[in-house]
Amino acid sequence: MTAAPAATGQQSETTSTGTPAFEHRRRGRWLEHWDPDNLKFWESGGNRTARKNLMFSVFAENLGFSVWVIWGTVVTSMGAAGFDFLAGLGKGNPAAVSNALLLTSTPTIVGAALRIPYTFAIPKFGGRAFTAFSAAMLLVPTLGLAYFVNQPGTPMWVFMVLAALAGVGGGNFSSSMANISFFFPEGKKGAALGINAAGGNLGVAQTQLILPLLITLGTHLTAKDPAGYRFGITLSVLVWVPFILIATFGALRFMDSISSAKSDGRSYKLALTNRHTWVMSFLYIGTFGSFIGFSFAFPTLIKANFPDLAKIGWITTLGNLAFLGALVGSFSRPFGGWVSDRVGGAKITVYVFGGMAIACALIMAALSLKSFPLYLAAFLMLFVLTGIGNGSTYRMIPSIFSAEARKYASEHGMELTEATASARRQAGAAIGVIGAIGASGGYLLQQALRLSNINFHSMAPAFWSYAGAFLVMAGVTWWFYLRSSFAIGRVPSLAYANV
């Protein structure tokens, strides 16, 4: 039967048992009843509402990543724009390289730290309101950079503050993922979260493609002098403002909040005391930490290690092809999840870390040979593997908690459905923690590059350290999730005895 429309303009459908099947709202507000696992509810309009929220979530998160990574490209032109602390970056000046890596790593660590409070913000404020707020916050670092980059005497600490403020874009990932996870049924949640994550990651690639083009356009419209570069940087930053305003308005006008999307404090406590939360955090430092850390640093690394590329016009215009790294890493992430469904997340993760160690060795060979084609190919290999690893590690998390739940239920005579529901809540809580710690790996990676450059005037020690760390991570994955009777077969049929 059909219930009478509510005073707020809502229309409700009910099942034969009287349970609401779907609540339709013309404008995005709070959804009092949301049951996506109910097939009647889902097919009678719940799916349309979920997809609508996913669309606006992806758009806002994409902009968040775009602003988060903006400093990775801007620093490569600030020396030419008249800022002495970055002068000589294109000639490999150690001080300039160090300052550039400091500026690019600052938003990384701030974004990582914000991921935990941003996860809790969705149940507190609602997906609609917080998506609009988090999108609007992107105006602060963009407008601030556009203003201060046109003040030639601006000291470095001001830009450090602006770089830190850009970290709000990194926090958007956790709030967006937490919000979308509530909208979709279990059978469709993985695909929805994969689309959401990939859409955000693509923001890194589009920034590294678009910004150098706009900076070059700015110098062509004015002059190839410090004032021209400042105009180009301003143009490349302000281009995001209209999109940020659209994302903010779109979230307020069309998105919804779910009343039942409440935080589960007990699940967070259980997740924090589960050793697998910390094991997976360590592994995610290697996959997502490497993806975001190298994405921030790649333009600087190319300019510092291959300064002669500046003589090749369109190579420089395209950001020395740095955008390709984030692009291939973003597209390979869904593939990592897909292949893990068939082969096993732990097996793929071991292969990924082994391949990443080989890629680091190839990067060192390219620097020794001064071969940019080999350098680019090795880095693209590294980025593809980080994307696959992001997908495989994320796929492992629910499988691990599900396996623990089955084992606990069997040993304690607990209902399997109750144990499975608890596992889902714990996995959701763990993902927030793992995402935050993993993102902090991007900061550690860039600091290792900076310290290696300062102390050894070479980045070789940092890259060899990365290779060693990746091999350790492969060993950790094998030890916890693959050895002997603990082997992972086809996910999610994970079984191990020492939990």
Side-chain angles (χ1 to χ4, degrees), residues 108-109 111-113 115 285 288-289 292 434-445:
T108 313
I109 192 63
R115 286 188 165 199
I285 286 174
F288 183 76
I292 201 65
I434 292 167
I437 295 175
S440 70
Y443 175 81
L444 297 174
L445 183 147

Short mmCIF file of all heavy atoms in Angstrom, two decimals, residues 108-109 111-113 115 285 288-289 292 434-445:
data_model
loop_
_atom_site.label_atom_id
_atom_site.label_comp_id
_atom_site.label_asym_id
_atom_site.label_seq_id
_atom_site.Cartn_x
_atom_site.Cartn_y
_atom_site.Cartn_z
N THR A 108 50.37 16.54 2.83
CA THR A 108 50.20 15.09 2.95
C THR A 108 49.93 14.70 4.40
O THR A 108 48.97 13.96 4.68
CB THR A 108 51.46 14.35 2.46
OG1 THR A 108 51.87 14.88 1.21
CG2 THR A 108 51.20 12.86 2.31
N ILE A 109 50.75 15.19 5.33
CA ILE A 109 50.59 14.80 6.73
C ILE A 109 49.33 15.40 7.34
O ILE A 109 48.64 14.78 8.15
CB ILE A 109 51.85 15.17 7.55
CG1 ILE A 109 51.81 14.50 8.93
CG2 ILE A 109 52.01 16.66 7.67
CD1 ILE A 109 51.84 12.99 8.90
N GLY A 111 46.54 16.15 5.66
CA GLY A 111 45.42 15.38 5.10
C GLY A 111 45.28 14.03 5.77
O GLY A 111 44.15 13.57 6.02
N ALA A 112 46.40 13.39 6.08
CA ALA A 112 46.35 12.09 6.77
C ALA A 112 45.75 12.24 8.16
O ALA A 112 44.90 11.44 8.58
CB ALA A 112 47.76 11.50 6.87
N ALA A 113 46.16 13.28 8.89
CA ALA A 113 45.65 13.49 10.25
C ALA A 113 44.16 13.79 10.25
O ALA A 113 43.43 13.37 11.16
CB ALA A 113 46.42 14.63 10.92
N ARG A 115 41.92 12.64 8.32
CA ARG A 115 41.07 11.53 7.89
C ARG A 115 40.29 10.90 9.04
O ARG A 115 39.17 10.44 8.85
CB ARG A 115 41.91 10.47 7.18
CG ARG A 115 42.33 10.91 5.80
CD ARG A 115 42.99 9.81 5.00
NE ARG A 115 43.05 10.20 3.59
CZ ARG A 115 43.22 9.34 2.60
NH1 ARG A 115 43.31 8.06 2.85
NH2 ARG A 115 43.26 9.76 1.36
N ILE A 285 50.59 1.75 4.29
CA ILE A 285 51.64 2.77 4.15
C ILE A 285 52.43 2.49 2.88
O ILE A 285 52.81 3.42 2.15
CB ILE A 285 52.57 2.76 5.39
CG1 ILE A 285 51.85 3.40 6.59
CG2 ILE A 285 53.88 3.49 5.10
CD1 ILE A 285 52.64 3.31 7.88
N PHE A 288 49.15 2.83 -0.50
CA PHE A 288 48.60 4.17 -0.69
C PHE A 288 49.61 5.25 -0.31
O PHE A 288 49.68 6.30 -0.96
CB PHE A 288 47.33 4.37 0.13
CG PHE A 288 46.70 5.72 -0.11
CD1 PHE A 288 45.99 5.97 -1.29
CD2 PHE A 288 46.84 6.74 0.79
CE1 PHE A 288 45.44 7.22 -1.53
CE2 PHE A 288 46.29 8.00 0.57
CZ PHE A 288 45.57 8.23 -0.60
N GLY A 289 50.40 5.01 0.75
CA GLY A 289 51.42 5.99 1.12
C GLY A 289 52.39 6.26 -0.01
O GLY A 289 52.78 7.40 -0.28
N ILE A 292 50.42 8.30 -2.93
CA ILE A 292 50.22 9.73 -2.70
C ILE A 292 51.56 10.45 -2.51
O ILE A 292 51.74 11.57 -2.96
CB ILE A 292 49.27 9.96 -1.51
CG1 ILE A 292 48.66 11.36 -1.59
CG2 ILE A 292 49.95 9.75 -0.17
CD1 ILE A 292 47.76 11.58 -2.79
N ILE A 434 43.11 2.73 9.10
CA ILE A 434 44.09 2.29 8.11
C ILE A 434 44.31 3.36 7.05
O ILE A 434 45.45 3.62 6.62
CB ILE A 434 43.64 0.95 7.47
CG1 ILE A 434 43.69 -0.15 8.52
CG2 ILE A 434 44.50 0.58 6.27
CD1 ILE A 434 42.97 -1.43 8.12
N GLY A 435 43.22 4.00 6.60
CA GLY A 435 43.34 5.06 5.59
C GLY A 435 44.16 6.23 6.08
O GLY A 435 44.98 6.79 5.33
N ALA A 436 43.97 6.62 7.35
CA ALA A 436 44.72 7.74 7.90
C ALA A 436 46.21 7.42 8.02
O ALA A 436 47.07 8.21 7.64
CB ALA A 436 44.15 8.13 9.27
N ILE A 437 46.51 6.24 8.57
CA ILE A 437 47.91 5.86 8.75
C ILE A 437 48.59 5.64 7.39
O ILE A 437 49.74 6.04 7.18
CB ILE A 437 48.02 4.60 9.63
CG1 ILE A 437 47.51 4.92 11.03
CG2 ILE A 437 49.46 4.09 9.67
CD1 ILE A 437 47.46 3.73 11.96
N GLY A 438 47.86 5.04 6.46
CA GLY A 438 48.42 4.83 5.13
C GLY A 438 48.79 6.12 4.45
O GLY A 438 49.85 6.24 3.83
N ALA A 439 47.91 7.13 4.57
CA ALA A 439 48.20 8.43 3.94
C ALA A 439 49.42 9.09 4.57
O ALA A 439 50.17 9.79 3.88
CB ALA A 439 46.98 9.34 4.07
N SER A 440 49.65 8.85 5.86
CA SER A 440 50.83 9.45 6.51
C SER A 440 52.12 8.89 5.91
O SER A 440 53.18 9.52 6.01
CB SER A 440 50.79 9.19 8.01
OG SER A 440 51.02 7.81 8.31
N GLY A 441 52.02 7.72 5.28
CA GLY A 441 53.20 7.17 4.61
C GLY A 441 53.70 8.06 3.50
O GLY A 441 54.90 8.06 3.19
N GLY A 442 52.79 8.83 2.88
CA GLY A 442 53.21 9.77 1.85
C GLY A 442 54.14 10.84 2.40
O GLY A 442 55.08 11.28 1.73
N TYR A 443 53.87 11.26 3.63
CA TYR A 443 54.74 12.25 4.30
C TYR A 443 56.09 11.63 4.61
O TYR A 443 57.14 12.24 4.35
CB TYR A 443 54.07 12.74 5.58
CG TYR A 443 54.92 13.66 6.41
CD1 TYR A 443 55.01 15.01 6.09
CD2 TYR A 443 55.63 13.18 7.52
CE1 TYR A 443 55.80 15.87 6.85
CE2 TYR A 443 56.41 14.03 8.29
CZ TYR A 443 56.50 15.37 7.95
OH TYR A 443 57.28 16.21 8.71
N LEU A 444 56.09 10.42 5.16
CA LEU A 444 57.35 9.76 5.50
C LEU A 444 58.21 9.55 4.26
O LEU A 444 59.43 9.74 4.29
CB LEU A 444 57.05 8.41 6.17
CG LEU A 444 56.30 8.46 7.51
CD1 LEU A 444 55.96 7.05 7.97
CD2 LEU A 444 57.11 9.20 8.55
N LEU A 445 57.58 9.16 3.17
CA LEU A 445 58.31 8.93 1.92
C LEU A 445 59.00 10.20 1.43
O LEU A 445 60.18 10.18 1.07
CB LEU A 445 57.34 8.40 0.86
CG LEU A 445 57.89 8.02 -0.50
CD1 LEU A 445 57.11 6.85 -1.08
CD2 LEU A 445 57.81 9.21 -1.48
#
